[in-house]
């Protein structure tokens, strides 16, 4: 499918501009523009609720900022998790004497970045808990990653937010939020993929097909069919729910959610058929919500969420809120739109290491040559990586990698000195990657480079101590080999991905292990290439590709199944480095 028709294909910073517009709707909102953090000023102490994720799911999550729901929202780029530094900025945006609860949809990138931010916040004395919401019942038999987070997260926002508004403790709000998360189930169906602004060569479904279980980031569904009648579609949707959903006497709330591209007329007809069939199954529906709650941009589909109304849930669900995206409840006065610039808050500067200190000097021209070579490699291979990720993921792997590489090149071009410290360079790359890439791959790269810098610093300090002793001296290559091993070990603390899981780790692990053992860069790149090829035969068990049916990893040009795009991306980077060093 060619580039979709959008009014914003030539608009820079679409996420930031969307957030800025929301300032016009509520005088209590403040925006940390550089971090894409939107928050509400508080009038009294309470447990604060923070949520967020990739953009493109509006009105989630900024539309749920309001009294009785969320207090802080952190937005990533379209379909990409916000970085840990963004989330930390959100956690620090307001004083939180009663603590903060983060409500997070269950995706790998979100878990990594929100988890890293949690650790950083706790180190600064912030009391924070997290509840991860996975309500997608189309995902079965994947206990390693669990269910995806879909529209059911809004029920968690609403009920936990209402309890927090009563002055309940962090532990009470966390416990209730987890109970709600455990009581929801969702399934979606779509006629086609959504159209992502500024992205070309998007996959689409045959005109007479639909998919059950399609994800909210353009992930392929678990079952594709020729489009049947509406009653049959609804019947098939409800077949994904377990029999226990319908066989007890607990009343429920039902949400029929527009994925973004259905007309109001079409959604209402779908919802009517859905309610009829649910009631025919004996479900006691106490509250019905029909509208647009969590979208996939302009996705032409819908999802249905069922919430079991256990004791206390219904009163909190009906608790008044000022959040503009919650239906049928009182909204706050929009007020005037004056003073928007004065209410745009700047992030606080972060202190760091003295960049003038050079411990392991490296020629600046060499760094710039390496970065240029990597960027050229990624520019060449980005269309292929994107093609692979469109088949096996959400289609952003190539463009995300290119965005990060371009940002690093911009950083390196600003270096004026003839030599630069290698350790500080790794620290800077980590910071640039974290702020520019986002998503799962951004978090993995950022953690790895940050750990590499920390390991190099520790090894260097030990080396300097050993100079005056009888300890053997080691050169920079040996330091780098040891530091790479330690950085890999640190990265493995934050991800379950290992060799054989069809991820970028299938490339990174053999490279690191080979280089650490041999100090031969070319040999290590060769082993990395073998790792890439091995992913053609592997079934994904982690990341968004793990939710995709085996048949979706199409045979390409008579060859074996496509390789993992993240693994290809790492090899592309390593090949670029090797080309510059030859």
């Amino acid at each position: 499918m060619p580039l979709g028709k959008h009014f914003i294909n030539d608009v820079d910073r679409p996420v930031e501009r969307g957030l800025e517009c929301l300032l016009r709707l509520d005088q209590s909102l403040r925006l940390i523009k550089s971090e894409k953090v939107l928050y509400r000023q508080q009038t009294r102490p309470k447990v604060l609720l923070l949520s967020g994720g990739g953009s493109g799911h509006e009105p989630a999550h900024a539309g749920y900022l309001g009294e009785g729901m969320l207090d802080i929202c952190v937005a990533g780029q379209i379909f990409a998790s916000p970085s840990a530094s963004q989330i930390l900025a959100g956690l620090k945006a307001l004083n939180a004497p009663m603590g903060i609860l983060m409500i997070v949809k269950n995706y790998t990138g979100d878990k990594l970045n929100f988890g890293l931010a949690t650790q950083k916040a706790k180190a600064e004395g912030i009391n924070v808990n997290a509840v991860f919401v996975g309500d997608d019942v189309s995902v079965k038999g994947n206990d390693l990653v669990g269910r995806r987070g879909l529209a059911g997260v809004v029920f968690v926002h609403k009920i936990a937010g209402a309890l927090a508004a009563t002055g309940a403790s962090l532990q009470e709000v966390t416990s209730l939020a987890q109970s709600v998360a455990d009581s929801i189930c969702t399934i979606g169906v779509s006629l086609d993929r959504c159209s992502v602004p500024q992205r070309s060569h998007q996959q689409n479904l045959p005109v007479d097909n639909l998919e059950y279980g399609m994800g909210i980031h353009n992930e392929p569904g678990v079952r594709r069919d020729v489009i049947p009648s509406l009653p049959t579609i609804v019947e098939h949707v409800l077949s994904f729910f377990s029999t226990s959903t319908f066989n007890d006497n607990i009343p429920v709330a039902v949400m029929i959610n527009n994925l973004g591209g259905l007309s109001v007329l079409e959604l209402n007809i779908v919802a009517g058929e859905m309610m009829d069939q649910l009631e025919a199954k004996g479900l006691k529906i106490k509250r019905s919500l029909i509208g647009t709650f969590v979208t996939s941009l302009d996705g032409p589909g819908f999802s249905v969420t069922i919430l079991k109304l256990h004791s206390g849930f219904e009163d909190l669900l009906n608790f008044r809120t000022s959040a503009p995206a919650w239906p049928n409840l009182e909204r706050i006065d929009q007020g005037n739109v004056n003073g928007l610039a004065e209410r745009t808050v700047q992030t606080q500067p972060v202190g760091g290491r003295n960049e003038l200190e050079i411990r392991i000097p490296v020629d600046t021209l060499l760094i710039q040559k390496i970065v240029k070579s990597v960027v050229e490699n990624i520019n060449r291979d980005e269309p292929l990586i994107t093609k692979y990720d469109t088949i096996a993921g959400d289609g952003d792997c190539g463009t995300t990698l290119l965005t990060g590489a371009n940002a690093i090149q911009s950083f390196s071009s600003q270096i004026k000195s003839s030599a630069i410290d290698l350790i500080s360079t790794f620290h800077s790359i980590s910071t640039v990657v974290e702020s520019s890439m986002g998503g799962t791959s951004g978090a993995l790269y950022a953690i790895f480079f940050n750990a590499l810098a920390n390991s190099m610093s520790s090894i260097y300090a030990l080396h300097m101590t050993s100079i005056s002793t009888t300890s053997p001296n080691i050169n920079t290559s040996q330091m780098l080999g040891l530091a790479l091993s330690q950085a890999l070990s640190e990265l493995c603390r934050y991800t379950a991905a290992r060799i054989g899981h069809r991820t970028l780790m299938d490339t990174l692990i053999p490279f690191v292990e080979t280089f650490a053992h041999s100090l031969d860069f070319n040999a290590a790149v060769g082993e990395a290439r073998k790792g890439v090829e091995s992913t053609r035969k592997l079934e994904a068990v982690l990341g968004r590709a793990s939710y995709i049916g085996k048949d979706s990893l199409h045979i390409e040009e008579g060859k074996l199944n496509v390789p993992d795009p993240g693994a290809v991306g790492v090899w592309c980077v390593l090949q670029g480095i090797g080309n510059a060093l030859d």
Side-chain angles (χ1 to χ4, degrees), residues 9 97 114 128 135 182 194 242 309 361 426 450 459 483 485 491 497 501 540 550 575:
N9 275 338
F114 279 86
V128 56
D135 52 315
D182 293 339
C194 69
S242 66
L309 291 174
F426 288 144
N450 189 68
I459 294 167
S485 292
L491 179 60
H501 286 168
K550 296 179 183 178
Q575 185 187 46

Side-chain angles (χ1 to χ4, degrees), residues 272-320:
E273 178 66 31
M274 183 68 67
M275 297 299 177
D276 287 345
Q277 291 200 27
L278 287 172
E279 289 173 343
K281 290 179 175 291
L283 224 56
K284 298 178 180 179
I285 302 174
K286 297 294 293 289
R287 181 76 188 273
S288 302
L289 295 94
I290 303 168
T292 303
F293 301 97
V294 176
T295 64
S296 179
L297 290 170
D298 61 353
F302 68 90
S303 65
V304 55
T305 301
I306 298 175
L307 165 67
K308 294 291 184 70
L309 291 174
H310 296 292
S311 177
F313 284 13
E314 186 177 0
D315 287 342
L316 293 169
L317 191 62
N318 293 327
F319 192 89
R320 175 176 293 184

Side-chain angles (χ1 to χ4, degrees), residues 21 61 165 167 182 258 273-274 342 359 410 437 482-483 566 573:
C21 180
H61 295 273
D182 293 339
N258 186 353
E273 178 66 31
M274 183 68 67
E342 289 77 8
R359 292 156 289 179
S410 177
M437 288 180 68
L482 183 56
V573 171

Side-chain angles (χ1 to χ4, degrees), residues 17 21 45 60 123 133 136 185 258 348 413 433 478 522-523:
R17 291 183 66 172
C21 180
V133 180
D136 183 0
C185 46
N258 186 353
Q348 295 298 316
S413 67
V433 165
Q478 291 171 320
N522 290 329

Side-chain angles (χ1 to χ4, degrees), residues 168-183:
S169 69
L170 178 59
Q171 184 55 47
E172 291 170 328
V173 177
T174 302
S175 178
L176 179 71
Q178 186 62 63
S179 180
V180 176
D182 293 339
S183 303

Side-chain angles (χ1 to χ4, degrees), residues 137-205:
V137 295
S138 75
V139 177
K140 301 181 186 297
N142 196 337
D143 294 335
L144 191 59
V145 292
R147 295 174 171 177
R148 297 177 288 199
L150 299 177
V153 71
V154 179
F155 278 136
V156 185
H157 294 340
K158 179 64 187 68
I159 294 176
L163 183 63
T166 68
S169 69
L170 178 59
Q171 184 55 47
E172 291 170 328
V173 177
T174 302
S175 178
L176 179 71
Q178 186 62 63
S179 180
V180 176
D182 293 339
S183 303
I184 51 177
C185 46
T186 301
I187 176 68
V189 60
S190 189
L191 301 170
D192 209 340
R193 308 279 188 264
C194 69
S195 175
V196 182
Q198 304 175 358
R199 182 181 297 175
S200 59
H201 307 297
Q202 300 178 135
Q203 295 287 324
N204 63 330
L205 300 186

